[in-house]
Amino acid sequence: MRDEQMANSGGRPPVRPLDAIDRDILRLLQMDGRASIRSVAEQVHVSRANAYARINRLIDDGVIRGFSARVDQERAGQGASAYITLKIVQNSWRTVREQLRQLPGAAHMALVSGDFDVLLLVHTEDNRSLRELVLTRIQAIPEVLSSRTLLVFEETDLDSEP
């Protein structure tokens, strides 16, 4: 039965419901991915063994996809950021996605509905680099029909403490 469920969900384990403790653990790890098991356990009021087992289950279930650092792009030398909207040839998402993944500074992409098909977030050294990325790299992708660039003036992470 489990093999059949995994085959139906693309090889991933079936989704298990999260309880309030799981959600609290996720919130804590989103604020500080380096938090110790001991600290997490104390804050959600469970034993270290329970916290460790829950975190491992969240990882195994694919709820936690990894741990990373939040980077201040400007301080890291990436002074220009932009959201780029793309209209693409119908049914070309997989091909376009693979080409966009190769772009320097590509940080996030999503297939969306509405007036455009793809939303891409990029970080570049400066506006000249951004211009080069859009005009020579993105617009050279054959499946890209059009693009629109929206400069980011200021960013705020909503999942971090002030």
Side-chain angles (χ1 to χ4, degrees):
M1 176 74 172
R2 180 170 166 82
D3 291 338
E4 184 178 313
Q5 286 175 329
M6 287 184 70
N8 291 337
S9 62
R12 294 169 40 179
V15 176
R16 291 188 262 193
L18 303 181
D19 64 17
I21 293 172
D22 292 331
R23 283 189 251 293
D24 286 345
I25 289 171
L26 290 173
R27 182 183 48 76
L28 290 169
L29 291 176
Q30 284 177 305
M31 287 189 308
D32 181 7
R34 295 175 53 184
S36 69
I37 297 289
R38 169 185 247 153
S39 170
V40 170
E42 288 172 357
Q43 291 181 65
V44 299
H45 309 291
V46 298
S47 70
R48 281 185 290 186
N50 188 337
Y52 183 79
R54 284 173 177 267
I55 291 169
N56 280 335
R57 179 179 49 79
L58 292 167
I59 292 169
D60 291 344
D61 286 356
V63 175
I64 296 176
R65 296 182 303 179
F67 297 88
S68 62
R70 285 192 296 268
V71 176
D72 181 318
Q73 296 298 329
E74 193 170 359
R75 293 185 63 89
Q78 303 295 310
S81 295
Y83 284 97
I84 302 169
T85 66
L86 305 172
K87 287 186 182 182
I88 61 173
V89 172
Q90 190 172 358
N91 296 322
S92 66
W93 164 242
R94 287 177 183 83
T95 303
V96 171
R97 178 182 58 199
E98 293 312 311
Q99 293 177 72
L100 295 175
R101 273 192 177 144
Q102 305 303 314
L103 294 176
H108 178 82
M109 72 179 98
L111 179 65
V112 297
S113 65
D115 293 337
F116 50 88
D117 304 306
V118 178
L119 181 64
L120 174 68
L121 172 62
V122 297
H123 303 290
T124 62
E125 184 178 333
D126 53 27
N127 283 344
R128 181 182 308 258
S129 301
L130 176 60
R131 178 183 179 278
E132 190 71 20
L133 182 73
V134 172
L135 296 181
T136 64
R137 300 285 299 271
I138 293 174
Q139 290 183 356
I141 298 171
E143 296 85 1
V144 171
L145 301 173
S146 67
S147 68
R148 174 175 271 163
T149 302
L150 307 164
L151 290 177
V152 174
F153 296 129
E154 183 177 313
E155 292 182 87
T156 302
D157 281 338
L158 299 178
D159 61 352
S160 61
E161 290 184 359

